[in-house]
Amino acid sequence: MKSLIRQPINKLLLFYMLTLPALANASLLVVANVDKPISLSKSEVKAIFMGGATSYDLNAVALTAENKTRAMFNARIIGMTESRIQSYWAQMRFSGRQKPPREFDNEEQLINYLVKHKGAVAYVSSDVELKAGIVILYRSED
């Protein structure tokens, strides 16, 4: 039974090990549909996407766990593995405190959602074409 549980975890670890080096030089953007451009710090971005308190009324949306941009975001901004993030959200849901961000399969879907929803915020790779009305709130190049 334990080997069945480890197999998906091992595949996920392998995925991260293979994709993170390729993403090391990629830039990550946090973008939103807001009326007034704001500049966010790394800690504010983390709070927004992890359900923490912020002074901004932003609704975070995210990519699915299999997406390489999500892996880059988790490593650079959140500083947690996917399994720890999933565990965190399970606890938040169970306690009734928070729900995780709505998830989308790809960055194009994220951008299309942002265009239609004021206050929505997401992370994307820098090579994604931004549409009118979407502004950059944070840029990570580390």
Side-chain angles (χ1 to χ4, degrees), residues 4-136:
L4 291 176
I5 293 170
R6 285 188 188 143
Q7 189 175 12
I9 293 170
N10 289 340
K11 286 182 182 178
L12 192 57
L13 285 173
L14 180 62
F15 169 78
Y16 285 135
M17 288 173 24
L18 293 174
T19 58
L20 286 179
L23 297 171
N25 295 326
S27 183
L28 180 72
L29 305 175
V30 175
V31 296
N33 181 343
V34 292
D35 292 326
K36 293 182 183 179
I38 54 177
S39 180
L40 298 175
S41 69
K42 182 177 178 177
S43 61
E44 289 172 318
V45 171
K46 181 177 179 178
I48 289 167
F49 284 89
M50 294 302 289
T54 68
S55 57
Y56 304 105
D57 187 22
L58 296 171
N59 178 30
V61 292
L63 294 164
T64 56
E66 300 80 24
N67 191 287
K68 64 184 178 184
T69 302
R70 178 168 169 150
M72 181 170 53
F73 180 80
N74 289 347
R76 290 187 185 175
I77 306 300
I78 305 301
M80 295 168 63
T81 63
E82 184 63 35
S83 61
R84 287 200 56 219
I85 292 170
Q86 293 300 324
S87 176
Y88 168 82
W89 283 117
Q91 292 172 351
M92 292 297 107
R93 279 191 305 266
F94 180 75
S95 66
R97 288 185 275 179
Q98 295 281 342
K99 291 182 181 179
R102 181 176 174 181
E103 294 182 352
F104 294 87
D105 291 330
N106 58 57
E107 292 169 300
E108 183 180 347
Q109 290 176 349
L110 276 179
I111 296 296
N112 289 334
Y113 181 86
L114 293 182
V115 168
K116 296 175 186 174
H117 296 87
K118 279 281 186 211
V121 60
Y123 53 84
V124 295
S125 59
S126 60
D127 59 350
V128 169
E129 184 178 333
L130 301 179
K131 295 184 179 181
I134 304 302
V135 296
I136 299 170

